[in-house]
């Protein structure tokens, strides 16, 4: 994603460029135009629906060069006693995915994330779409890996 941002910056494509105060509004507009239901959740977060999954873009002007998109699956979504299996699936996802990462947070919930650096002048609209697609691909890959290891196709 960083390479895409730098390539667009140096090839001077006609896109909306980086201004910290416009990042979240640009993401909302871009996701809405792409068919997602996106809205501002709070001062640092945009929530959008991706086929029933509530995904979040997180951005703070205090850290203006970092953008994160994530989806969280509550611990209860997986069978009791499957912590080791979830860690194994996360390790496989992290070894196979270039942009997306999977981990279990301190509360035991599964987090799937994509993070990107935003160099000044980056086209936020294209970056946001690429990140949303990368998160979707990471989510699909996580579930395929989980199903392969368990044979459980109900998740």
């Amino acid at each position: 994603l960083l390479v895409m941002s730098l390539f667009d910056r140096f090839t001077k494509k006609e896109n909306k460029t980086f201004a910290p105060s416009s990042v979240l509004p640009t993401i909302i507009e871009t996701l809405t135009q792409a068919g997602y239901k996106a809205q501002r959740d709070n001062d640092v977060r945009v929530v959008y629906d991706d086929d029933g999954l509530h995904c979040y873009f997180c951005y703070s002007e205090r850290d203006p060069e970092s953008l994160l998109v994530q989806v969280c699956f509550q611990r209860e979504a997986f069978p009791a006693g499957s912590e080791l299996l979830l860690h194994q699936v996360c390790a496989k996802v992290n070894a196979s995915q270039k942009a997306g990462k999977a981990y279990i947070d301190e509360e035991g919930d599964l987090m799937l994330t994509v993070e990107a650096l935003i160099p000044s002048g980056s086209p936020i609209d294209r970056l946001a779409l690429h990140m949303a697609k990368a998160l979707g691909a990471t989510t699909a890959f996580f579930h395929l890996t989980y199903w392969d290891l368990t044979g459980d196709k109900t998740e």
Side-chain angles (χ1 to χ4, degrees), residues 36-52:
Y36 296 100
K37 295 176 186 170
Q39 63 185 17
R40 189 94 175 235
D41 185 42
N42 60 35
D43 62 337
V44 296
R45 196 165 70 178
V46 168
V47 62
Y48 70 97
D49 183 282
D50 186 0
D51 288 330

Side-chain angles (χ1 to χ4, degrees), residues 71-89:
V71 63
C72 175
F73 294 92
Q74 300 295 313
R75 177 65 191 97
E76 297 79 30
F78 298 95
S82 63
E83 289 80 12
L84 180 59
L85 174 66
L86 290 175
H87 283 285
Q88 289 172 334
V89 176

Side-chain angles (χ1 to χ4, degrees), residues 17-71:
T17 57
F18 174 76
S21 63
S22 69
V23 170
L24 292 177
T26 299
I27 290 171
I28 292 170
E29 179 183 338
T30 300
L31 292 174
T32 301
Q33 289 174 356
Y36 296 100
K37 295 176 186 170
Q39 63 185 17
R40 189 94 175 235
D41 185 42
N42 60 35
D43 62 337
V44 296
R45 196 165 70 178
V46 168
V47 62
Y48 70 97
D49 183 282
D50 186 0
D51 288 330
L53 295 178
H54 287 47
C55 304
Y56 301 90
F57 269 95
C58 302
Y59 176 79
S60 173
E61 290 185 38
R62 287 182 278 162
D63 186 13
E65 294 182 347
S66 179
L67 181 62
L68 173 79
V69 62
Q70 66 184 9
V71 63

Side-chain angles (χ1 to χ4, degrees), residues 40 103 146:
R40 189 94 175 235
Y103 65 94
Y146 180 84

Side-chain angles (χ1 to χ4, degrees), residues 94-143:
N94 294 339
S96 300
Q97 296 291 296
K98 292 181 182 176
K101 296 299 172 202
Y103 65 94
I104 308 300
D105 72 6
E106 59 278 350
E107 295 165 4
D109 297 333
L110 169 67
M111 303 296 293
L112 302 175
T113 65
V114 174
E115 190 169 2
L117 296 176
I118 311 172
S120 181
S122 294
I124 299 302
D125 52 352
R126 292 194 55 202
L127 180 62
L129 284 177
H130 284 290
M131 290 178 73
K133 289 177 184 177
L135 183 63
T138 300
T139 303
F141 187 79
F142 178 90
H143 283 94

